[in-house]
């Protein structure tokens, strides 16, 4: 049972899940309800291309192949960090401080808007980065391995073996669930996930008001 949090103007809801779980889609349904959503992973990729200091440090530790035509080489970097937890922590330590600052600037920009009860921070690395500690509520989206693999194959240029290996090196659903307030099981249709988002939105409104 979720308890009401202390009185604060705007609550922060963290949404996370393993790759292909459907967390971005779930967040998009809340966005359609008028809830501001900060997509941490997308912003992180943008910042890796924009911030010179990030570029320098990534090239320093991961090599010149980390960038192609002055843009982050996602495939090359992913092959390294998803095979080595230490490498993933190093990459997070380079990028996360900038994402954190970018999020604070975004949070300030949305805080001046009226009638916003809560905002969403969507992040695959919500627990790895420690960002979950800033959240009033944490939602974990789970799905079956089969469904996640099918979604990722459609979305990314990866084969099943590559996807399976990366999923193994991400925090398990069990560990995520222990630190989460709400668990959403995305095993059925997109329509079902949308209904879950609507139910969650109503629940959060009741808890916050």
């Amino acid at each position: 049972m979720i308890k009401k949090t202390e009185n604060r103007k705007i609550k922060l809801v963290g949404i996370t899940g393993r790759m292909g779980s459907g967390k971005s889609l779930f967040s998009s349904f809340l966005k359609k309800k008028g809830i501001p959503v900060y997509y941490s992973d997308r912003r992180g990729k943008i910042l890796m291309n924009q911030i010179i200091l990030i570029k320098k440090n990534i090239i320093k530790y991961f090599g010149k192949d980390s960038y192609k035509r002055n843009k982050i080489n996602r495939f090359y970097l992913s092959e390294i960090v998803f095979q080595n937890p230490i490498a993933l922590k190093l990459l997070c330590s380079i990028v996360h401080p900038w994402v954190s600052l970018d999020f604070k600037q975004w949070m300030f920009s949305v805080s001046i808007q009226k009638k916003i009860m809560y905002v969403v921070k969507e992040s695959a690395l919500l627990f790895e980065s420690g960002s979950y500690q800033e959240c009033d509520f944490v939602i974990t989206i789970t799905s079956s391995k089969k469904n996640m693999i099918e979604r990722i194959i459609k979305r990314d240029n990866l084969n099943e073996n590559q996807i399976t290996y990366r999923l193994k090196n991400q925090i398990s659903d069990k560990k995520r669930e222990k630190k989460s307030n709400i668990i959403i099981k995305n095993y059925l249709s997109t329509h079902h996930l949308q209904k879950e988002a609507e139910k969650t939105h109503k629940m959060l409104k009741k808890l916050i008001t």
Side-chain angles (χ1 to χ4, degrees), residues 17-25 124 141-153 155-156 163 167 170 186 193:
R18 293 198 289 171
M19 60 188 299
S21 61
K23 58 187 176 297
S24 295
L25 182 59
I141 312 296
T142 67
S143 190
S144 68
K145 181 181 175 181
K146 180 183 176 182
N147 286 345
M148 288 189 288
I149 289 174
E150 287 176 354
R151 293 186 195 113
I152 298 166
I153 287 175
R155 185 187 69 194
D156 302 328
I163 296 166
L167 287 171
Q170 290 187 323
N186 182 23
L193 187 65

Side-chain angles (χ1 to χ4, degrees), residues 42 67 85 99 157 159-160 164:
R42 295 178 193 175
Y67 284 84
V99 174
N157 187 26
N159 60 48
E160 187 170 337
T164 300

Side-chain angles (χ1 to χ4, degrees), residues 13 22 32 50 55 64 67 107 112 114 151 164 204:
V13 177
K32 288 178 181 178
Q50 291 181 343
K55 288 183 180 181
K64 292 181 180 179
Y67 284 84
M107 189 74 170
I112 60 177
K114 295 180 180 179
R151 293 186 195 113
T164 300
L204 288 170

Side-chain angles (χ1 to χ4, degrees), residues 96 115 117 165:
H96 178 67
K115 296 181 180 179
M117 290 183 293
Y165 190 84

